[in-house]
Amino acid sequence: MPPASKKAFRVLETASKFEGAPQSMGMQKTQYDIAVEQFQRAADIMKLDPNVQEILRKPRRILSVNFPVKMDDGRLLLYQGFRSQHNNALGPYKGGVRFHPNVTIDEVKALSMWMTWKCAVAGIPFGGAKGGVTVNPKQLSQSELEKLSRSFFSLISEIVGPYRDIPAPDVYTDSQTMAWFMDEYSKGEKNNAFAVVTGKPLIIGGSLGRDSATGRGVAITVEEAARHLKLNLKGATCAVQGFGNVGSWAYQFLEEDGVKIVAVSDSKGGAYKKSGIWFNDAASHKKKNGSVINLPDSQPITNEELLELDVDILIPAALEDVITKDNAKSIKAKLVAEGANGPTTPEADDILFHNGTTLIPDILANSGGVSTSYLEWVQNLQHLYWTADEVDHRLKNIMVKAFAEVYKTSQDHNVDMRTGAYIQAIGKVRDAMKIRGWV
Ligand code: NAD
């Protein structure tokens, strides 16, 4: 094994070198800029106490860690990771951990803020947090990934815990990562602390229904919106961007509702078929060929074209920033349900609202995932586990109630549903902060 030299000890170069660069330098808005802008819109309408605004614009605590991982060939590489805790007035912090080369402190801050609003909108007793490590996990072996996961978690364990901050999977982390996190934390605590993370494998305290939860939640919000819009889901047409966890489960539940999915895509491109694409056909084609492109009897379509199709329902369930000021005018769907986080920019929000499009915002539409994480946490704390039906039933109650509250708030203020969701969420957090004597 070669000795670890100083040269081999390096920090991976990341986008974080741009962190803090002002927009006046011509740089694009960061996710944190967008998060603050969305917050400010609602805060202005609510005439929110300036002291509360000041507190909520920034995370309460950000932990930045640098740690070495010994590679299989003996080299030591230094990695950087973060945990941002935005606000915990409503309960312990909650939010995923992502492993991705583009992770920056700025992104983690924005995501932690969105988690505060998402949990408040869903009415679950959590605050908002997010974490990440700047790494390309695809370049690591399984044992390197395990060492990285354990080191990161042991460093942030001074601020996490079942009643303090409960991480979960996010981009490029999964139930295996959560198993390592939980095990590392449990060693330190000298007991089985299952409730320290959610999204775990079933055998060590995971919940039934967690896999399908986000897509199920998206479908439930579409059903609720369709009732208000008097849109008959039987025979309604839909396009789904992204055929991963969220997109494929939303697809299945909407198909069960009688919706005709006419287009679907993944990172390689999309397929369109006027008469509709059955989920099983799309899934088996993707399994065999690695993509939904070239589905038999379908026409090829780009991811950009898919967004502009003349359909009743559009589900962006892949990436952020896909509906922008450049294409919002061309969106024809009456109903957009954001399965992905942040697919629509604030400028596009205004255009869609002006055009009469109903948009179910991410912090409501995809909150089924964190809501079922809450149900997993409750099961861990009570050591009593529910059937899949019980979990799904509880999730449905959470989603229906959250939708009704956001819909009413947006109607009362005559604003789009994103702003309605923000008003709803910020109001709850403000009330909790006031009654706790923080402001
Ligand atoms: P995933 O990795 O399972 O699936 C992502 C899908 O997007 C894949 O089909 C991939 O091929 C596709 N994709 C990637 N690049 C693309 C591109 N350039 N154009 C079109 N499609 C592309 O991820 P997921 O868990 O389904 O997450 C999707 C989105 O939903 C993300 O924004 C995520 O943050 C959000 N989300 C996920 C959950 C969850 O529980 N999984 C919860 C809340 C929010």
Side-chain angles (χ1 to χ4, degrees), residues 9 31 74 78 111 129 166 236 273-274 276 332 348 357 360 391 413:
F9 217 101
Q31 281 186 297
L78 190 67
L111 291 164
I166 304 117
K273 192 171 164 189
K274 194 165 180 231
K332 298 176 194 70
T357 309
I360 312 170
V391 173
H413 287 84

Side-chain angles (χ1 to χ4, degrees), residues 118 210 214 242-246 266-267 303 317-319 339-341 366:
K118 195 178 288 191
R210 178 62 185 88
T214 309
F243 197 64
N245 175 284
V246 180
D266 56 33
S267 58
N303 264 295
L319 301 172
N341 281 319
N366 69 32

Side-chain angles (χ1 to χ4, degrees), residues 287-363:
K287 199 168 171 200
K288 215 157 80 195
N289 304 288
S291 171
V292 294
I293 56 171
N294 301 325
L295 257 160
D297 305 324
S298 73
Q299 292 165 27
I301 187 171
T302 65
N303 264 295
E304 292 73 32
E305 288 165 344
L306 178 141
L307 297 169
E308 299 178 11
L309 283 174
D310 190 3
V311 287
D312 298 309
I313 306 160
L314 174 64
I315 314 235
L319 301 172
E320 66 278 3
D321 291 342
V322 291
I323 306 179
T324 66
K325 63 177 178 358
D326 300 325
N327 65 355
K329 281 193 199 75
S330 312
I331 304 286
K332 298 176 194 70
K334 298 177 191 65
L335 180 59
V336 178
E338 294 185 327
N341 281 319
T344 315
T345 64
E347 295 82 6
D349 267 340
D350 289 341
I351 298 169
L352 293 177
F353 186 55
H354 183 258
N355 289 348
T357 309
T358 300
L359 182 142
I360 312 170
D362 46 9
I363 57 170

Side-chain angles (χ1 to χ4, degrees), residues 35-45 53 57 422 426:
V36 172
E37 191 174 331
Q38 290 168 336
F39 165 76
Q40 200 57 51
R41 279 182 179 208
D44 290 346
I45 293 169
Q53 290 193 31
R57 264 192 225 107
Y422 269 72
I426 294 167

